[in-house]
């Protein structure tokens, strides 16, 4: 059967990864969470005091990029690939609010983007991949056969993210989560290099009032149609 490339871009906490994982599983495709790669580089910068609460040594991060190895290893129990930083599983460590508060600044750096985009293109070169992020349909795979752009109101997204963080026992306030969602939207969509935007040929899905099942079925049907063409 024909293999295609599926890209899912959109604002933070629009549930891209949930539907991307479901879709990859249903189609027998590889799922790649490109945001996890930017988060892993951010974690490196935090662990090495390159980025702190009030400073960010961009030149140092750029000069150390050769020491930052981001990789994925499939976890059979979870049914998806977890992200590793220099050989250590950091799947949980990269999901904290602190990493979320720093990641957009790291993702603005062209040298970081260049390194990660090359790796993402390599991972998708055999097709049969579902990749989610911000620039996947515009920069990483502009020729992808099927592109989605997910949206939902900032409040809907902040509520989802807040619930997730509470489930992970993080002590956070809803207001801080909403502020983070809004500030990441702004930085991600106004940065100079590869800003978040809808590819011309992407299908926009507003999932503010869409159940997970309905959302999955919509994307799955569209994928099946293209695969069977
Ligand atoms: O999808 P996420 O929230 O885990 O992504 C974390 C950050 O990484 C996001 O705020 C912007 C950045 N990012 C990016 O610039 N390009 C991508 N392809 C994926 C994520």
């Amino acid at each position: 059967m024909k293999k295609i490339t599926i890209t899912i871009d959109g604002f933070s906490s629009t549930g891209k990864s949930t539907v991307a994982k479901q879709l990859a599983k249903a189609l027998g495709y590889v799922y790649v969470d490109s945001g996890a790669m930017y988060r892993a580089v951010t974690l490196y910068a935090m662990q090495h005091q390159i980025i702190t609460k009030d400073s960010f040594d961009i030149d140092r991060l750029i000069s150390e990029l050769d020491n930052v190895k981001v990789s994925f290893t499939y976890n059979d129990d979870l049914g998806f690939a977890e992200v590793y930083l220099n050989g250590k599983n950091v799947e949980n460590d990269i999901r904290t609010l602190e990493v979320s508060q720093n990641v957009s600044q790291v993702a603005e750096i062209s040298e970081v983007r260049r390194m990660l985009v090359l790796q993402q293109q390599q991972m998708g070169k055999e097709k049969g991949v579902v990749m989610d992020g911000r620039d996947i349909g515009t920069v990483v795979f502009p020729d992808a056969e099927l592109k989605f752009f997910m949206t939902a109101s900032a409040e809907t997204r902040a509520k989802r993210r807040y619930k997730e963080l509470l489930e992970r026992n993080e002590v956070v306030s809803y207001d801080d989560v909403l502020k983070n969602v809004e500030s990441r939207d702004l930085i991600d969509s106004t940065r100079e290099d590869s800003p978040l935007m809808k590819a011309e040929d992407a299908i926009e899905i507003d999932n503010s009032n869409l159940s997970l099942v309905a959302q999955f079925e919509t994307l799955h049907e569209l994928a099946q149609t293209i695969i069977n063409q």
Side-chain angles (χ1 to χ4, degrees):
M1 203 185 292
K2 181 173 85 178
K3 277 192 174 176
I4 64 168
T5 301
I6 302 176
T7 67
I8 305 184
D9 289 304
F11 293 102
S12 59
S13 305
T14 37
K16 301 183 296 290
S17 66
T18 304
V19 72
K21 272 181 207 154
Q22 290 172 326
L23 200 54
K25 191 168 177 208
L27 299 171
Y29 279 19
V30 173
Y31 162 61
V32 180
D33 174 358
S34 70
M37 301 170 81
Y38 290 91
R39 286 172 179 273
V41 176
T42 306
L43 185 66
Y44 175 92
M46 288 164 61
Q47 287 172 341
H48 292 81
Q49 280 78 48
I50 295 173
I51 197 163
T52 66
K53 224 169 175 299
D54 28 45
S55 70
F56 182 14
D57 189 343
I58 296 179
D59 291 338
R60 194 178 142 209
L61 179 60
I62 294 171
S63 72
E64 290 190 23
L65 276 181
D66 280 348
N67 305 333
V68 187
K69 302 281 177 239
V70 180
S71 57
F72 288 94
T73 299
Y74 191 79
N75 179 323
D76 264 330
D77 296 333
L78 295 175
F80 64 90
E82 293 181 293
V83 69
Y84 283 66
L85 170 62
N86 292 332
K88 181 175 180 285
N89 184 331
V90 291
E91 185 62 35
N92 274 319
D93 301 346
I94 59 163
R95 309 281 168 200
T96 62
L97 184 59
E98 217 186 330
V99 171
S100 298
Q101 281 162 341
N102 290 322
V103 65
S104 284
Q105 293 179 71
V106 170
E108 278 187 289
I109 303 169
S110 295
E111 286 79 356
V112 171
R113 303 205 69 82
R114 220 172 296 141
M115 173 178 98
L116 296 183
V117 166
L118 276 177
Q119 203 179 331
Q120 289 152 9
Q121 289 171 332
Q122 197 61 26
M123 287 190 277
K125 74 177 190 319
E126 310 288 343
K127 295 189 182 262
V129 70
V130 182
M131 194 175 293
D132 74 354
R134 303 293 188 288
D135 60 342
I136 310 303
T138 50
V139 175
V140 182
F141 299 119
D143 299 327
E145 291 84 350
L146 184 56
K147 301 178 183 178
F148 293 106
F149 190 82
M150 316 292 288
T151 63
S153 72
E155 289 74 18
T156 305
R157 292 183 284 127
K159 273 185 210 149
R160 289 179 187 153
R161 189 88 189 103
Y162 179 60
K163 194 166 160 261
E164 259 173 45
L165 289 167
L166 288 189
E167 279 165 8
R168 293 162 35 90
N169 296 322
E170 271 214 51
V171 184
V172 288
S173 76
Y174 169 76
D175 282 349
D176 282 349
V177 175
L178 178 62
K179 260 188 232 148
N180 175 248
V181 162
E182 289 174 339
S183 84
R184 278 206 286 153
D185 284 357
L186 184 71
I187 304 178
D188 292 348
S189 51
T190 55
R191 68 174 174 232
E192 224 163 273
D193 191 345
S194 322
L196 166 67
M197 60 174 152
K198 180 179 167 294
E200 259 177 36
D201 50 350
I203 299 165
E204 184 164 337
I205 310 264
D206 182 335
N207 64 17
S208 304
N209 298 307
L210 210 56
S211 74
L212 285 182
V213 174
Q215 170 174 272
F216 166 70
E217 282 171 358
T218 308
L219 272 65
H220 189 224
E221 262 172 43
L222 285 161
Q224 290 289 15
T225 307
I226 299 207
I227 290 168
N228 295 325
Q229 260 169 11

